Amino acid sequence: MSARANKALTAKLAVVVVAMFGFGYLLVPLYDLFCEITGVGGRTGTVTESTAALAKADVSRDVTVEFTAATAPGLPWEFHPLQRKVTVHPGAVTEVFYLARSKSRRATAGQAVPSVAPFDASRHFKKIECFCFTSQQLAPFEERRMAVRFVVDRELPPAVHTVTLSYMFYNVDAAAAADSTATAAATGEKT
Amino acid sequence: MASIDTTVSHDNHGDHAQPYGIMRWLTTTNHKDIGTMYLVFALLMLLVGGLMALLIRAELFEPGLQVLDPARFNQMTTLHALVMIFGAVMPGFVGFANWQVPLMIGAPDMALPRLNNFSFWILPFAFTLLLGSLLTADGGPASGWTLYAPLSVQGGMGVDMTIFAIHMMGVSSILGAINIIVTIFNLRAPGMTLMKMPLFVWTWLITAFLLIAVMPVLAGAVTMLLTDRHFGTAFFDPGGGGDPVMFQHIFWFFGHPEVYIMILPAFGIISQIIPTFARKPLFGYDSMVFATAAIAFLSFAVWAHHMFTVGMPLAGELYFMYATMLIAVPTGVKIFNWVATMWRGAMTFETPMLFAVSVVFLFTIGGLSGLMLAIVPADFQYHDTYFVVAHFHYVLFSGAVMAMMGGAYYWLPKWTGHRYNETLGKWHFWLTAVFFNITFFPQHFLGLAGMPRRIPDYALQFTEFNMVSTIGAFGLGIAQLLFVYIVVRCIIGGERADARVWEGAEGLEWTLPSPPPAHTFTTPPKIA
Ligand code: HEM
Ligand SMILES: [Cu+2]
């Protein structure tokens, strides 16, 4: 038996181990990309106001859009949509409102995460303006009406008649949120 | 990892004085000693994990809360699984590999003996840490062995201890796997070509590759948990842009190959036992090797069958359903080959053979319930019910654990030089097989009727089957004390075993005296 050969093979296998550890982490961006492409996880799309304005509404089709809302534990807010559902034509820009009200005596901040079901509709649900683009800060007991402008694009699969948009608000650190909102606003960055 | 490559194999320790007592075991680099330690450790963990299972079953004997409060109950289901998987089944198989791989390929020892010692001695520390989590203020991990986020992100210090324990177990099994691969590739006796290797060696070679491929992924997943818990990352926190479902994907990318890590060596063991007692060579050796490789290969592409209900596009559900069912094909090839080996054989039913035959039979039941679970619309109903619990106990207890028991009876005379008490062995087999079925068969019905898994209390209509199951579990637990007794008796003494031990046994290990001397095959054997 040769100690050399053992060492060489051990080294090769150790490389595999390290590579697989890295692969575990690589799964994170891969999963993200996969969701982006397929709409898994209910990722929604975004579109600019001007592009959306170019599209013509398909008045021959009605799509029902339903709204739900929830807050994660740890965020002392009341949060709900101001309309249960709306009927829209694909291609037409629509605006709806949500209401958030802080029940806290301190300044709080939340980040809303949207999700659309069914998955094959999520890519076709495009937001122009949304309170989820940045984190929201509420002063003690502040109440805020927040808008979402969206368009359901005309490529929405014909089998889909109802789309559900849901938001979950998560607690984010108020100070840090103020910081990042400031930069986001400065750079016009959207998430 | 830099420290490991200092451990090269050594052929110069032939005559140096053996330390005595505890130091012998702490410092040994002999594959037989290390194999023994692994097996003893696995048996100990089987008893610890079994005790937790009995607590769970005691709580479920009747509705309401009697024995454990819900928090403790959840800790018991979590730790029972972790202890059994990482403490009993995996180290048990490594113990078999340590003893048998060198003997079966004509090697003098494992290729990396000091590494071997290290990978064993990590384990007692890892499990002290894991079980120690029960003593912390918030108790042990209670998220289930799958450690799903966000539950596992929220738990107390016990979860951190679990994460570190998993890191240690991961290092241990990765090092063990590397050692086995290097041994098999570099230390085969001249003439022992790959396609002449006994099937047990083949199954372990493939298992070892699975281990080095997926244990690092698990290590990564729990590291992400750890940084999510303490260092401000948000891999699994949607508020920070993460996604808890991603944890499930990463976990099951490890988790499904892991279930094959726990069954392939069992396939190897019974592929040794059945030809011995059927007195015929294994039917379809080549197809067995290819089926094992095919199962391992496919196991990387089916993980999401554990998460059909999280919400997936229809195409995804269909893909994972058919891919999962595809695994049943090579598995079926194996079952066919075992049956064909027995067909018209001159069969006798000593204890190892009883275990092997029952593994073929009961594992097949587990495979069939697996196929039912693979059907997406059915799984929406069965997921997270006792049907899943029944499924995996048929493949893991009556597959992996009973194969190891069969293997223990098969090789104990070789290892100890004594025959075990055959009458008691048969008693142990029948008690185990009968009580196993009493415990787990009713759980199929409970699951079909909708009883969820991992709950300490349940609706009244489930009472009868739960009572039966609990009675079976206590019988099964007590029967294992008989196993411990038989093994201890066999180590201490008994009728002397000759070299061949079993009339129909074939293979290099049977050319050695029983028990084999500390150093064997220092000059490579001649392979016919
Ligand atoms: C024909 C082969 C098999 C098929 C088709 C199959 C299929 C499945 C499916 C679909 C599930 C998910 C059920 C659910 O959670 O809803 C499952 C769970 C499970 N299977 Fe299998 N399986 C097979 C063989 C095995 C083997 C050989 C093992 C282990 C030795 C195994 C161990 C497990 C375990 C441990 C779980 C539950 C994991 C958990 O949620 O804690 N299976 N199986
Ligand atoms: Cu699986």
Side-chain angles (χ1 to χ4, degrees), chain A residues 97-168:
Chain A
F97 292 93
Y98 278 72
L99 188 82
R101 200 171 63 81
S102 172
K103 296 185 287 184
S104 170
R105 230 169 287 155
R106 293 187 297 132
T108 45
Q111 169 69 52
V113 176
S115 162
V116 165
F119 292 143
D120 31 349
S122 54
R123 271 169 306 157
H124 304 290
F125 187 93
K126 297 194 166 149
K127 294 188 268 50
I128 298 160
E129 189 50 64
C130 175
F131 57 88
C132 60
F133 287 168
T134 58
S135 58
Q136 301 289 320
Q137 289 140 80
L138 294 189
F141 303 108
E142 183 187 344
E143 187 176 287
R144 184 178 299 162
R145 224 165 76 111
M146 303 176 301
V148 186
R149 283 165 67 73
F150 66 89
V151 55
V152 177
D153 78 30
R154 298 171 56 131
E155 273 95 74
L156 182 76
V160 178
H161 302 292
T162 307
V163 174
T164 307
L165 172 66
S166 97
Y167 283 103
M168 179 88 158

Side-chain angles (χ1 to χ4, degrees), chain B residues 130-166:
Chain B
L130 180 68
L131 296 174
S133 70
L134 282 172
L135 304 176
T136 60
D138 296 310
S143 54
W145 78 280
T146 50
L147 302 173
Y148 279 4
L151 264 184
S152 50
V153 178
Q154 292 158 0
M157 194 171 86
V159 179
D160 300 315
M161 294 167 78
T162 307
I163 289 172
F164 286 126
I166 288 177

Side-chain angles (χ1 to χ4, degrees), chain B residues 25-208:
Chain B
W25 297 102
L26 280 173
T27 59
T28 182
T29 55
N30 183 306
H31 74 102
K32 302 181 183 79
D33 288 349
I34 294 176
T36 303
M37 292 197 294
Y38 265 111
L39 289 168
V40 170
F41 182 80
L43 185 57
L44 195 71
M45 285 297 129
L46 184 75
L47 299 176
V48 172
L51 214 60
M52 294 175 173
L54 292 186
L55 283 172
I56 294 169
R57 281 317 319 171
E59 176 55 55
L60 293 174
F61 183 68
E62 53 186 23
L65 297 177
Q66 294 88 23
V67 183
L68 297 167
D69 62 81
R72 280 285 178 216
F73 183 91
N74 290 342
Q75 293 164 27
M76 283 300 123
T77 55
T78 305
L79 285 175
H80 162 72
L82 289 172
V83 166
M84 286 302 195
I85 292 169
F86 293 102
V89 175
M90 293 169 69
F93 282 134
V94 179
F96 277 97
N98 259 293
W99 258 103
Q100 287 306 124
V101 167
L103 297 187
M104 290 172 129
I105 61 173
D109 202 315
M110 297 295 278
L112 312 163
R114 261 178 274 167
L115 187 73
N116 205 9
N117 172 291
F118 180 61
S119 50
F120 171 76
W121 280 110
I122 294 176
L123 287 178
F125 294 97
F127 280 86
T128 309
L129 194 61
L130 180 68
L131 296 174
S133 70
L134 282 172
L135 304 176
T136 60
D138 296 310
S143 54
W145 78 280
T146 50
L147 302 173
Y148 279 4
L151 264 184
S152 50
V153 178
Q154 292 158 0
M157 194 171 86
V159 179
D160 300 315
M161 294 167 78
T162 307
I163 289 172
F164 286 126
I166 288 177
H167 279 137
M168 291 163 78
M169 299 164 199
V171 169
S172 165
S173 52
I174 288 170
L175 296 183
I178 289 178
N179 206 349
I180 287 167
I181 295 173
V182 176
T183 306
I184 294 174
F185 277 151
N186 288 0
L187 295 195
R188 274 172 290 130
M192 175 62 76
T193 59
L194 284 177
M195 289 309 276
K196 273 191 188 158
M197 292 194 310
L199 213 77
F200 176 73
V201 181
W202 256 115
T203 55
W204 239 117
L205 180 62
I206 291 169
T207 302

Side-chain angles (χ1 to χ4, degrees), chain B residues 195 199 202-203 206 260 264 267 284-299 326-335 337-338:
Chain B
M195 289 309 276
L199 213 77
W202 256 115
T203 55
I206 291 169
Y260 284 98
L264 294 181
F267 288 172
Y285 172 90
D286 293 11
S287 67
M288 282 301 218
V289 172
F290 289 119
T292 310
I295 290 174
F297 197 70
L298 286 173
S299 75
L326 202 61
I327 294 203
V329 176
T331 314
V333 168
K334 286 181 161 284
I335 292 171
N337 285 348
W338 290 319

